[in-house]
């Protein structure tokens, strides 16, 4: 199963997300950016779903670092309030694939996660095909 990393400082939020996703995914959880980075350094993660509001580093700040270090990982953010223009700009800067607003519905969360995993697979397939094309084009 594809590995998904959930990042949220609230244990009950992590538990609720895990419950919605664990039938389809290998679910990893972290209660903040530092713990999440430690996991990313050890595990092969396809999708990250991260809460925006966390003590220490915000979700956008964390996902911006993820974009630099693990660019192929599909990044989703969860926000608990109406997004301002600055929030939208931040989401664009971090190259975030999708944002979900709280309260999310389990079906919606699962659907977003499945789409993200599909995107990850398609991007890798695309990379493989373009590499094959380059090899074939060599004289």
């Amino acid at each position: 199963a594809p590995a998904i990393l959930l990042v949220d400082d609230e244990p009950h939020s992590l538990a609720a997300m895990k419950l919605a996703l664990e039938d389809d995914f290998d679910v990893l959880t972290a209660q903040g950016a530092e713990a999440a980075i430690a996991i990313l350094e050890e595990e092969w993660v396809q999708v990250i779903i991260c809460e925006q509001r966390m003590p220490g580093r915000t979700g956008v700040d964390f996902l911006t670092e993820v974009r630099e270090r693990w660019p192929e990982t599909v990044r989703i953010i969860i926000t608990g309030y109406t997004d301002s223009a600055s929030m939208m700009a931040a989401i664009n800067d971090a190259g975030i694939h999708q944002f979900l607003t709280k309260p999310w519905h389990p079906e919606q969360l699962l659907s977003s996660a499945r789409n993200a995993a599909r995107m990850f697979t398609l991007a890798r397939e695309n990379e493989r095909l373009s590499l094959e094309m380059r090899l074939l084009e060599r004289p």
Side-chain angles (χ1 to χ4, degrees):
I4 191 164
L5 173 59
L6 310 176
V7 189
D8 195 319
D9 61 304
E10 294 179 13
H12 66 92
S13 294
L14 285 176
M17 287 194 281
K18 185 174 183 177
L19 195 62
L21 300 172
E22 64 189 357
D23 288 346
D24 283 51
F25 293 91
D26 176 13
V27 179
L28 304 163
T29 60
Q31 280 184 249
E34 300 319 308
I37 284 170
I39 290 171
L40 288 165
E41 284 171 346
E42 297 292 321
E43 307 281 345
W44 192 59
V45 172
Q46 297 191 6
V47 180
I48 296 177
I49 299 179
C50 182
E51 165 68 32
Q52 164 59 7
R53 294 182 113 165
M54 297 188 290
R57 298 176 69 183
T58 65
V60 165
D61 181 53
F62 161 65
L63 291 175
T64 303
E65 178 178 347
V66 171
R67 181 190 196 177
E68 288 160 13
R69 295 182 63 187
W70 298 278
E72 70 285 355
T73 303
V74 182
R75 299 169 297 279
I76 296 173
I77 199 158
I78 296 181
T79 62
Y81 46 92
T82 320
D83 291 297
S84 63
S86 64
M87 183 68 197
M88 292 309 296
I91 286 172
N92 290 333
D93 290 346
I96 292 166
H97 158 63
Q98 191 184 12
F99 73 98
L100 299 171
T101 48
K102 282 183 178 175
W104 47 265
H105 187 274
E107 278 302 313
Q108 172 203 22
L109 190 75
L110 182 57
S111 163
S112 292
R114 283 178 177 156
N115 286 338
R118 204 170 297 128
M119 262 187 73
F120 179 92
T121 305
L122 287 172
R124 285 192 73 85
E125 185 64 8
N126 197 25
E127 216 171 276
R128 190 182 64 77
L129 289 172
S130 61
L131 183 65
E132 282 177 15
M133 290 301 289
R134 286 203 298 279
L135 291 172
L136 288 171
E137 284 161 10
R138 285 183 182 165

